[in-house]
Amino acid sequence: AVELTERQGWTGIPCETAACYKFGALIFTGEIRAARNGRPGAGAIELRRSFLVEPNALYAHRSMVEVFNSPAYDYCEIEIHAPFHILNPGDYGEHQQVWSLTGK
């Protein structure tokens, strides 16, 4: 079983074992952090992704963010979903993410 942790408005999802799982979430703030070799802010290598969320929009799999882990792969996958929008001919959609990498 995978044990989630919650601290100061964040949910920790460990991807350290070869377990197969997928977690999805509707979030309030458009920011996720992934840390390697430690916790965010504690000397770890940290990837931060920031984006806008639309609280009343529809999202794929009813999730703004999904974390997928599988024993078949040597990595954890993080997906950010843009809201569903119906586009008519000539319309366009846009979704932006700001990525930053920090740490040692």
Side-chain angles (χ1 to χ4, degrees), residues 45-59:
I45 297 171
E46 180 179 309
L47 170 67
R48 182 180 298 188
R49 292 163 69 177
S50 301
F51 49 95
L52 295 176
V53 295
E54 295 181 33
N56 298 318
L58 296 175
Y59 287 85

Side-chain angles (χ1 to χ4, degrees), residues 27-44:
I27 58 178
F28 300 104
T29 303
E31 182 175 289
I32 60 112
R33 298 179 194 177
R36 175 139 176 117
N37 299 330
R39 293 187 326 272

Side-chain angles (χ1 to χ4, degrees), residues 2-4 13-14 21-25 63 65-69:
V2 175
E3 223 174 288
L4 303 180
I13 303 171
Y21 58 82
K22 186 176 206 174
F23 289 104
S63 298
V65 176
E66 288 184 335
V67 177
F68 172 73
N69 195 51

